[in-house]
Amino acid sequence: MLNRRRFMAVSVMAAVAATLPAQTFAATPLRAIPKHRRIFPKREEDGSWLLHSDAPYEPRKVIRPEVIERVFGAGAFNRLSQRDHWAMIEAGWFSGPDLHLPVPLGDPAYDVWKGYYHPVTEAHDLLRHLFAAKYPGRLRSGSYLPNGLTLAEHPCTPRYATARVHSDIDLLRCLFDVASMGSLIEVVLPAELSTLRAEYDDPIRMEDLMWPTTRLNAPTGLTLEQKMRRSYEASQRAALAQHLPKA
């Protein structure tokens, strides 16, 4: 039963609500929050490395279009990403018959997952977005970025796009370039390259390695002779270090 105080509060709320547009009280979908993502290089037969994101290799359930439209209004389904779907499912908003597992052949939800959320295509998109500002005009499909990365869009349906480096040195340069961006993306170094990675603890060798990624913004450049001399001096120091006693 309402007492006088509660009755007055409810009356005031009802009066205020009546003056506001109906969409003020419309349900709002939950949006996915950007998270730290890891990129894993996987060796190919020709010695190159194909990059994969840390996403699952199988599609995840999504919310059925008719459920989205019923809850959030007409047109809401096309405004949501599959990551938004997963965020709402993980939050417990939808379950059971509200959900659909994408399957190959004739399922638009599967084509969207394959084209944008599969680990290979997603790694391409994450890195393309990351380097769009640093290397403007160099992100054409098949182009070779200064850090050794090749981004390619392949003519097929569902969409297929790849991020690839063609040597161990290119992979190392790409890894350092990603780290220099201070982003939520991390390239995970394969264990077999740990020895090669240690060679670039020397600042001069690191500078030589990353020169292709910094030369466009460098105020002054070294001559070819100077760069060759610095590389030679760094290699001499590395050779000498191999014979020094370990601490």
Side-chain angles (χ1 to χ4, degrees):
M1 176 180 294
L2 291 176
N3 58 30
R4 178 176 177 79
R5 180 177 297 178
R6 291 182 179 176
F7 176 79
M8 292 298 294
V10 170
S11 299
V12 170
M13 292 176 64
V16 172
T19 65
L20 298 175
Q23 57 266 30
T24 301
F25 300 98
T28 303
L30 183 64
R31 297 286 186 164
I33 299 174
K35 299 178 180 179
H36 178 264
R37 303 301 306 278
R38 295 190 296 170
I39 303 288
F40 295 97
K42 296 193 176 183
R43 178 85 75 177
E44 299 183 294
E45 291 184 0
D46 63 355
S48 61
W49 296 88
L50 181 63
L51 306 185
H52 300 239
S53 77
D54 54 5
Y57 285 90
E58 298 294 333
R60 299 168 59 182
K61 289 184 178 180
V62 295
I63 306 164
R64 295 183 182 277
E66 62 272 20
V67 175
I68 290 288
E69 301 281 301
R70 184 178 70 245
V71 174
F72 301 118
F77 182 81
N78 291 330
R79 294 193 295 270
L80 298 177
S81 71
Q82 289 195 358
R83 291 204 172 277
D84 296 331
H85 285 233
W86 302 331
M88 288 187 283
I89 294 170
E90 290 171 358
W93 289 21
F94 300 92
S95 61
D98 295 336
L99 309 183
H100 164 70
L101 180 63
V103 295
L105 302 178
D107 186 346
Y110 181 88
D111 290 348
V112 170
W113 171 80
K114 186 75 171 179
Y116 296 93
Y117 302 99
H118 184 278
V120 172
T121 51
E122 189 179 51
H124 167 279
D125 292 348
L126 288 170
L127 293 169
R128 182 182 180 88
H129 177 75
L130 177 66
F131 290 122
K134 185 170 185 178
Y135 303 118
R138 291 173 173 258
L139 295 178
R140 298 183 304 275
S141 179
S143 62
Y144 182 83
L145 298 187
N147 59 19
L149 184 66
T150 299
L151 301 173
E153 293 262 3
H154 304 272
C156 61
T157 303
R159 174 178 178 261
Y160 182 61
T162 56
R164 179 180 277 110
V165 292
H166 298 280
S167 70
D168 295 352
I169 290 296
D170 282 343
L171 176 57
L172 207 57
R173 185 181 295 112
C174 181
L175 180 150
F176 290 136
D177 203 20
V178 169
S180 73
M181 303 295 285
S183 69
L184 292 175
I185 301 174
E186 171 194 3
V187 177
V188 178
L189 181 71
E192 64 190 89
L193 298 187
S194 57
T195 301
L196 179 63
R197 162 66 181 85
E199 295 179 11
Y200 291 91
D201 289 338
D202 182 283
I204 295 180
R205 295 204 68 181
M206 173 65 81
E207 182 180 347
D208 288 340
L209 175 71
M210 301 308 294
W211 175 253
T213 71
T214 59
R215 59 187 173 87
L216 296 179
N217 298 321
T220 58
L222 298 176
T223 66
L224 178 60
E225 180 181 357
Q226 289 172 322
K227 289 192 289 182
M228 292 177 66
R229 178 175 293 278
R230 289 165 70 103
S231 296
Y232 173 76
E233 291 172 350
S235 64
Q236 291 295 100
R237 283 194 300 274
L240 178 60
Q242 296 178 357
H243 302 285
L244 295 176
K246 302 297 182 181

